[in-house]
């Protein structure tokens, strides 16, 4: 109910009569509904959830504080949405402009007497601060990721492909209770370590490779996101030096981040250190981002980041250095921001592990 109360405050500030929620993650956040079809319509004093007959029982079991409207098929969805809007006497309707398709918008335009008001990230702003229940789910996802990292060290060896490693990670996480991977697993070995998003390939891991693993578990809809870089045998000495620089950049950030900092200020802690070591040109992505129902969500930390760090946010910190034709290193933790400090949710070792 509290989420509806907060959304109604946003409705008041937008000066609209109601808002239509179509984004699947925002829909789940507000209603707890995990099905694939449905629309939420919230006004100043009413809350409706419209879905088709396939999800009637599921909606009844999962959703509280909404009046549930069942239509017969997906083809009837738009007609029911339009009818509900008319019946409520809505004059100004907010809609999620970053989610609604052109076809959906065209259908809404049939409501000639209603003013359509595009909105941006109304619900996403509510999702910035995690509830205790959300933190518990992310914490569990992080535990599964840590367990998977311990397990996968038994799998990585010369002759094994990156895809084999990714498949084993996904299978193990599911066995521990994960619904699946929270994003396409990155396994980047050898020179492929220079690819920040080097999704697992058929490349065979070789003696002397550094291997970057970036993966996460999806637990009850919530994501974890961890990166560790391992050595198979004895890698190039330059990569060993880079590893220590990245590790120190991460630790400096974790020691210094605090409530009230901007995204740029957070990013600069690690970026300035890496640049001071001569590798500023090889750290091309932002330092981190929020996680929750989505693997990449607000806030974002970069040199243009204006988001303000607040207690209750769950974020990643992930410095990296990537050298073409040589390889790369990234280390990443998930972090809960608190008024009096931080809680690191991922506990896998960060000192270099040699296999």
């Amino acid at each position: 109910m509290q989420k509806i109360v907060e959304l109604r405050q946003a409705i008041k500030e937008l000066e609209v009569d109601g808002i239509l929620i179509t984004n699947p993650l925002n829909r789940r956040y507000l209603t707890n509904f995990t099905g694939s079809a449905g629309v939420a319509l919230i006004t100043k004093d009413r809350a409706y959830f419209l879905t088709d007959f396939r999800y009637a029982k599921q909606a009844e079991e999962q959703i509280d504080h909404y009046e549930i409207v069942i239509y017969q098929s997906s083809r009837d969805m738009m007609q029911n949405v339009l009818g509900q809007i008319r019946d409520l006497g809505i004059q100004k309707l907010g809609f999620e402009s970053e989610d609604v398709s052109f076809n959906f918008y065209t259908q809404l335009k049939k409501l000639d007497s209603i003013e359509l008001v595009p909105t941006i990230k109304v619900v996403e702003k509510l999702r910035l601060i995690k509830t205790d229940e959300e933190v518990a789910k992310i914490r569990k996802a992080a535990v599964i990721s840590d367990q998977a990292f311990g397990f996968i060290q038994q799998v990585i060896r010369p002759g094994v492909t990156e895809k084999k490693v990714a498949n084993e990670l996904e299978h193990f996480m599911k066995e521990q209770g994960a619904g699946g991977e929270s994003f396409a697993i990155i396994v980047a070995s050898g020179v492929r370590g220079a690819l920040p998003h080097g999704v697992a390939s058929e490349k065979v891991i070789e003696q002397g490779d550094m291997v970057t693993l970036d993966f996460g578990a999806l637990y009850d809809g919530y994501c974890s996101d961890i990166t560790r870089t391992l050595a198979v045998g004895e890698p190039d000495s330059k990569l060993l030096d880079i590893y220590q620089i990245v590790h120190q950049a991460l630790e400096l950030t974790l020691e210094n981040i605090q409530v009230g900092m901007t995204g740029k200020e957070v990013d600069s802690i690690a970026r300035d250190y890496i640049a001071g070591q001569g590798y500023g040109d090889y750290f091309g992505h932002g330092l981190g981002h929020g996680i929750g129902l989505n693997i990449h969500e607000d806030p974002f930390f970069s040199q243009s980041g204006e988001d303000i760090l607040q207690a209750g946010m769950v974020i990643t910190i992930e410095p990296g250095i990537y050298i073409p034709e040589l390889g790369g290193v990234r280390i990443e933790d998930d972090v809960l921001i608190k008024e009096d400090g931080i809680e690191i949710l991922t506990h896998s070792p960060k000192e270099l592990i040699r296999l």
Side-chain angles (χ1 to χ4, degrees):
M1 186 63 183
Q2 181 59 33
K3 293 173 181 177
I4 298 177
V5 171
E6 293 174 354
L7 182 59
R8 283 184 173 139
Q9 179 59 38
I11 288 173
K12 181 179 179 181
E13 293 171 0
L14 288 166
E15 298 182 340
V16 295
D17 300 315
I19 188 168
L20 194 63
I21 303 299
T22 53
N23 178 282
L25 295 181
N26 290 341
R27 180 182 66 208
R28 176 168 183 167
Y29 176 78
L30 290 169
T31 69
N32 202 41
F33 179 72
T34 60
S36 61
V39 174
L41 176 61
I42 297 95
T43 71
K44 297 171 183 177
D45 56 5
R46 306 287 289 274
Y48 290 90
F49 186 79
L50 297 87
T51 189
D52 69 58
F53 75 98
R54 296 171 300 168
Y55 298 102
K57 183 64 174 176
Q58 182 178 349
E60 179 185 339
E61 293 174 348
Q62 292 183 329
I63 300 174
D64 294 321
H65 310 299
Y66 284 78
E67 299 175 60
I68 298 173
V69 178
I70 304 299
Y71 46 85
Q72 287 306 302
S73 73
S74 58
R75 291 190 299 272
D76 299 329
M77 185 270 288
M78 201 68 222
Q79 182 179 352
N80 278 266
V81 170
L82 298 180
Q84 201 70 52
I85 294 169
R86 289 192 192 97
D87 291 347
L88 289 169
I90 292 174
Q91 298 299 307
K92 295 179 67 175
L93 176 70
F95 68 95
E96 296 184 291
S97 61
E98 294 182 308
D99 178 74
V100 166
S101 68
F102 180 75
N103 181 61
F104 197 105
Y105 177 76
T106 300
Q107 295 296 314
L108 288 176
K109 288 287 286 183
K110 291 180 179 179
L111 298 167
D112 297 332
S113 62
I114 295 176
E115 179 184 350
L116 297 178
V117 180
T119 69
I120 297 176
K121 295 189 175 181
V122 173
V123 180
E124 285 86 347
K125 289 177 182 176
L126 303 182
R127 286 168 49 192
L128 279 170
I129 309 302
K130 271 54 181 181
T131 65
D132 291 344
E133 181 182 3
E134 289 180 294
V135 171
K137 292 175 182 179
I138 297 171
R139 185 180 281 114
K140 176 60 176 177
V143 167
I144 293 172
S145 295
D146 281 334
Q147 293 171 333
F149 179 69
F151 159 77
I152 205 63
Q153 294 173 46
Q154 307 167 40
V155 177
I156 298 173
R157 61 184 182 276
V160 173
T161 67
E162 294 174 348
K163 279 193 175 180
K164 168 70 171 176
V165 173
N167 290 339
E168 292 286 345
L169 273 172
E170 182 181 7
H171 179 70
F172 180 87
M173 289 191 293
K174 286 181 177 178
E175 285 191 328
Q176 307 312 306
E181 57 190 18
S182 54
F183 57 95
I185 294 173
I186 292 171
V187 182
S189 62
V191 296
R192 292 192 74 250
L195 304 174
H197 283 175
V199 174
S201 73
E202 295 291 352
K203 180 188 175 302
V204 173
I205 295 171
E206 302 175 34
Q207 190 74 18
D209 278 354
M210 294 283 267
V211 183
T212 296
L213 308 170
D214 187 349
F215 62 96
L218 189 66
Y219 182 78
D220 199 11
Y222 284 81
C223 303
S224 61
D225 187 1
I226 184 174
T227 306
R228 293 294 187 266
T229 302
L230 307 167
V232 178
E234 189 63 26
D236 188 287
S237 60
K238 187 174 183 179
L239 286 171
L240 294 177
D241 291 339
I242 287 171
Y243 189 95
Q244 296 308 317
I245 293 169
V246 172
H247 187 192
Q248 184 60 25
L250 174 62
E251 293 303 318
L252 279 172
T253 306
L254 296 175
E255 291 168 6
N256 288 281
I257 55 175
Q258 57 185 301
V259 169
M261 296 181 75
T262 65
K264 181 177 181 179
E265 289 171 334
V266 174
D267 182 89
S268 292
I269 299 171
R271 192 169 305 280
D272 290 352
Y273 177 76
I274 290 173
Q277 301 301 309
Y279 290 97
D281 291 339
Y282 301 98
F283 176 28
H285 57 73
L287 182 63
H289 53 84
I291 55 173
L293 285 168
N294 205 350
I295 191 59
H296 294 112
E297 59 183 50
D298 295 332
F300 289 91
F301 308 116
S302 69
Q303 284 302 283
S304 60
E306 297 179 354
D307 295 316
I308 303 297
L309 208 59
Q310 302 175 62
M313 291 178 169
V314 181
I315 65 170
T316 70
I317 301 296
E318 47 183 300
I321 295 174
Y322 313 93
I323 310 296
E325 307 304 323
L326 177 63
V329 172
R330 181 166 67 254
I331 313 173
E332 174 186 26
D333 275 329
D334 297 343
V335 179
L336 170 63
I337 304 300
K338 298 183 172 182
E339 287 289 358
D340 57 353
I342 65 171
E343 177 187 347
I344 300 173
L345 304 180
T346 40
H347 301 291
S348 295
K350 284 175 276 195
E351 295 75 18
L352 180 62
I353 294 172
R354 289 179 168 86
L355 302 176

